[in-house]
């Protein structure tokens, strides 16, 4: 998933440049614009749960962005649609992991 998340950032940065902007990918800027919070949990199950929550949040956010873009910027909308599909796959993967974890790990 991490590799795909990097691809998402790269895709959005390229689109910003195409539109004449200058993407700010500094860690500080990314942290202030993030729709989710960093969780430093060391418990595997809790990490997966927090990742699933984060995926669900970005799914809602990207869905709203796609709806807002509508037909006004079809190219950007398609970028977000591609990313959204992968985020939905990530959420499915994480949910599947939680369902398959042995009961002993779930507490």
């Amino acid at each position: 998933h991490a590799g795909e998340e990097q691809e998402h950032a790269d895709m959005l940065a390229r689109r910003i440049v195409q539109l004449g902007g200058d993407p700010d990918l500094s860690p500080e800027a990314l942290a202030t614009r993030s729709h989710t919070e960093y969780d430093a949990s060391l418990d595997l199950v809790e990490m997966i749960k927090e990742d699933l929550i984060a995926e669900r949040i970005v799914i809602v956010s990207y869905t709203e962005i796609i709806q807002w873009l509508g037909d006004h910027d079809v190219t950007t909308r398609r970028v977000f649609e591609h990313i959204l599909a992968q985020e939905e796959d990530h959420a499915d993967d994480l949910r599947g992991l939680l369902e398959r974890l042995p009961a002993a790990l779930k507490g």
Side-chain angles (χ1 to χ4, degrees), residues 20-82:
D22 184 23
D24 182 355
L25 300 176
S26 70
E28 298 82 19
L30 293 174
T32 61
R33 293 189 311 258
S34 177
H35 291 185
T36 61
E37 292 184 22
Y38 176 75
D39 182 357
S41 175
L42 298 177
D43 177 80
L44 176 61
V45 174
E46 288 305 311
M47 282 191 276
I48 295 170
K49 286 178 181 178
E50 288 300 319
D51 284 350
L52 179 56
I53 290 168
E55 293 291 355
R56 289 178 174 161
I57 290 169
V58 298
I59 287 168
V60 169
S61 296
Y62 291 166
T63 300
E64 290 174 356
I65 290 168
I66 290 165
Q67 291 170 347
W68 180 80
L69 287 167
D71 291 331
H72 301 289
D73 183 346
V74 176
T75 302
T76 302
R77 187 188 74 215
R78 287 183 181 154
V79 169
F80 275 99
E81 287 170 342
H82 174 78

